[in-house]
Amino acid sequence: MTTANAAMLEQIKSGQGFIAALDQSGGSTPKALKGYGIEADAFSNDEEMFALIHDMRSRIVTAPCFNGEKVIGAILFERTMDGEAGGKPVPALLWERGVVPFLKVDKGLEDEADGVQLMKANPELESLCERAVAKGVFGTKMRSVVNLANPAGVKAIVEQQFAEAARIAAHGLVPIIEPEVNIKSAERDAADRLLLNETLAALDAWTGEPVMLKLSLPTEAGLFQPLVDHPKVLRVVALSGGFARPEACVELAKNPGIIASFSRALLEDLRHQMSDDEFNASLGGAIDEIHAASVA
């Protein structure tokens, strides 16, 4: 293991903070821009749209408060990994600030079957992992969704996630496995429990280096403690899943050992029109709030 990777591993394992999710991809970018105060008529094609979201992310990662003291990692979209901020490649800039770079690697979701949405096939995963390693990225993230407490569906989700994790780990990257339980599901609690059992079984069979888990906050506080404590799990992080930040932070604080990996809940108060001072103050306030809930 390289010195940089050992230092990154230590920051993720024991850093007192949270992981920022800056990985909105093609489908969710217009919504993210709208939240940021940029309407759809401000861009006429994908290139212009991606340039605008890159400007937003650059503003975030170069803000004084965005550093490894409270933000221990950041998940990037592929174009962000390939881009620059502050005149440097984004992964290099992040690590200079003590923030460990991760890359979103999934290609989106299949249509629902058996109450879940599996990830689309990803034949290019190996070459993407090679590029990520070359750019100094530490780990990856991939998302699938559980909508119903269907045993066959949940089993399929976990099997697919761990099979992809094995492909990723072969490149020396740490996979973040994200089987998101839809927090609007009427069967959420039962789905949480199925997911817990299937994930524990998959972890017990896992022979590689420890992985990370990114999960929806459980209906029953503390339910995922066996995952937090599992020797094959480096860290458990939580998505905000549609909760606004105050509610997401309250739910997170009920689950010791789980830290945040919020996207919308981190960015919800930021606006394109803000002065740098206003922007930095707003982002700093959000970081403080999420950090406090993560270390509670």
Side-chain angles (χ1 to χ4, degrees):
M1 183 183 286
T2 66
T3 311
N5 267 32
M8 288 182 185
L9 181 68
E10 185 55 35
Q11 171 72 321
I12 292 303
K13 190 172 160 183
S14 49
Q16 292 297 302
F18 68 94
I19 294 175
L22 306 176
D23 59 336
Q24 300 89 351
S25 51
S28 52
T29 300
K31 196 171 170 185
L33 283 172
K34 187 176 174 65
Y36 185 49
I38 297 177
E39 296 296 334
D41 59 10
F43 50 90
S44 50
N45 56 44
D46 278 0
E47 286 307 313
E48 290 178 8
M49 176 184 78
F50 284 123
L52 287 167
I53 199 84
H54 186 73
D55 288 345
M56 178 186 91
R57 290 174 182 148
S58 297
R59 200 175 180 190
I60 292 164
V61 300
T62 56
C65 56
F66 199 88
N67 61 63
E69 198 181 314
K70 292 182 178 174
V71 184
I72 61 170
I75 303 166
L76 306 174
F77 175 48
E78 189 179 338
R79 281 175 177 252
T80 313
M81 175 185 79
D82 290 335
E84 293 195 345
K88 294 172 182 163
V90 173
L93 173 92
L94 286 172
W95 183 232
E96 264 182 28
R97 294 170 153 245
V99 179
V100 176
F102 291 83
L103 175 68
K104 169 191 158 71
V105 293
D106 67 80
K107 297 300 172 195
L109 300 169
E110 296 279 13
D111 292 335
E112 186 177 317
D114 289 337
V116 303
Q117 287 176 276
L118 292 168
M119 295 179 286
K120 288 180 176 169
N122 196 352
E124 305 298 312
L125 181 60
E126 274 72 19
S127 61
L128 182 55
C129 286
E130 284 168 17
R131 283 179 44 222
V133 169
K135 288 180 179 284
V137 167
F138 173 76
T140 64
K141 188 210 82 160
M142 49 192 171
R143 170 178 173 262
S144 38
V145 177
V146 176
N147 291 311
L148 298 170
N150 179 310
V154 174
K155 187 178 180 62
I157 279 254
V158 172
E159 282 179 355
Q160 184 192 39
Q161 281 277 356
F162 276 84
E164 296 292 88
R167 293 172 70 191
I168 291 160
H171 295 272
L173 293 160
V174 174
I176 300 178
I177 290 166
E178 183 185 10
E180 173 183 347
V181 173
N182 184 342
I183 63 164
K184 297 182 175 68
S185 170
E187 300 177 7
R188 185 178 152 208
D189 184 55
D192 287 343
R193 292 167 195 281
L194 282 174
L195 182 64
L196 172 64
N197 291 333
E198 287 293 345
T199 305
L200 284 169
L203 285 167
D204 289 341
W206 178 258
T207 55
E209 293 296 315
V211 298
M212 295 173 65
L213 301 172
K214 181 166 177 172
L215 305 171
S216 303
L217 288 159
T219 312
E220 182 192 318
L223 181 70
F224 293 150
Q225 197 62 41
L227 300 174
V228 174
D229 297 336
H230 200 286
K232 300 278 179 67
V233 177
L234 180 61
R235 207 82 198 242
V236 179
V237 304
L239 55 122
S240 49
F243 286 129
R245 185 168 66 245
E247 194 178 0
C249 287
V250 166
E251 291 299 313
L252 177 62
K254 295 175 187 171
N255 290 274
I258 299 181
I259 63 171
S261 177
F262 293 172
S263 172
R264 194 172 8 174
L266 172 63
L267 311 177
E268 62 189 32
D269 298 334
L270 301 179
R271 299 294 177 270
H272 166 66
Q273 297 81 358
M274 288 174 163
S275 70
D276 284 347
D277 285 349
E278 290 169 331
F279 184 91
N280 293 339
S282 179
L283 178 61
I287 286 173
D288 288 347
E289 198 177 330
I290 296 167
H291 172 264
S294 293
V295 301

